[in-house]
């Protein structure tokens, strides 16, 4: 079982990147997955989607090959989404325009929203309402919201860190069980993305 974490901020040295690494460390410590990868939109930004991606453009093929390989091998996805002005960043929305059902379809996803203040709920709502339709990513009912992110999991508040760690561990454990279950759905032969390419 492989896990891929999408760090959805395209800012350098972001809290989203830091939290992504915390989640990776927790998943590895718990031994939930055989491999945990991070795809960081800040370290490896994707160009804006254009129609040539559909026509087999060689530049797109070369650029996306390592991303596709990692996502294809994944059994579960964590989407780490910072809240920018109450929204998901454009780079993360662009990610969902580029990658589809072949890479993400019928795999469980855990939303992790990151807020510099007391917010964080808007990215959860946005991702649940508009990011899954055609790629068929299956968000699990649980999600995480990391508020006051700069002080979380830093040792500043041991009690708060312990609470967040317990919640992360629980959510990652639930994600793993969904990964086991949905693997069977993907292998069942029922899924037909050729006939039913887009969601309704």
């Amino acid at each position: 079982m492989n896990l891929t974490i999408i760090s959805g901020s395209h800012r350098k040295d972001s809290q989203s990147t830091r939290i992504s690494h915390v989640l990776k460390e927790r998943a590895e410590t718990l031994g939930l997955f055989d491999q945990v990868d991070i795809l960081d939109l800040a370290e490896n930004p994707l160009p804006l989607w254009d129609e040539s991606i559909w026509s087999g453009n060689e530049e797109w093929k070369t650029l996306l090959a390592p991303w596709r390989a990692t996502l294809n091998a994944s059994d579960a996805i964590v989407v780490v989404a910072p809240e920018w002005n109450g929204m998901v960043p454009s780079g993360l929305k662009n990610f969902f325009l580029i990658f589809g059902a072949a890479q993400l379809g019928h795999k469980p996803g855990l939303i992790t929203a990151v807020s510099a203040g007391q917010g964080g709920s808007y990215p959860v709502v946005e991702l649940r309402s508009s990011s899954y339709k055609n790629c068929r990513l299956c968000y699990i009912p649980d999600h995480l919201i990391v508020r006051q992110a700069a002080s979380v999991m830093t040792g500043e508040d041991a009690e708060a860190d312990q609470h967040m760690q317990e919640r992360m561990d629980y959510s990652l454990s639930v994600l793993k069980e969904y990964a086991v279950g949905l693997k069977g759905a993907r292998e069942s032969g029922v899924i037909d993305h050729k006939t039913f390419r887009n969601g309704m």
Side-chain angles (χ1 to χ4, degrees), residues 40-105:
D40 192 338
L41 293 177
E43 294 300 321
N44 195 3
L46 295 165
L48 290 178
W49 176 93
D50 68 64
E51 297 89 347
S52 67
I53 197 171
W54 287 345
S55 61
N57 177 284
E58 287 302 321
E59 288 183 31
W60 274 115
K61 276 186 180 177
T62 301
L63 174 70
L64 297 182
W67 290 71
R68 284 180 171 151
T70 299
L71 292 168
N72 287 343
S74 295
D75 298 286
I77 308 291
V78 175
V79 180
V80 180
E83 185 175 61
W84 291 4
N85 282 350
M87 297 180 287
V88 169
S90 57
L92 183 54
K93 296 293 279 189
N94 186 55
F95 170 88
F96 286 107
L97 294 175
I98 292 171
F99 298 104
Q103 294 81 40
L104 303 171

Side-chain angles (χ1 to χ4, degrees), residues 18 28 43 71 77 86 94 113 153 167 169 171 173 200:
R18 187 179 69 80
E28 290 174 339
E43 294 300 321
L71 292 168
I77 308 291
N94 186 55
M153 303 300 285
R167 191 72 196 212
D169 291 356
S171 295
S173 297
M200 293 184 71

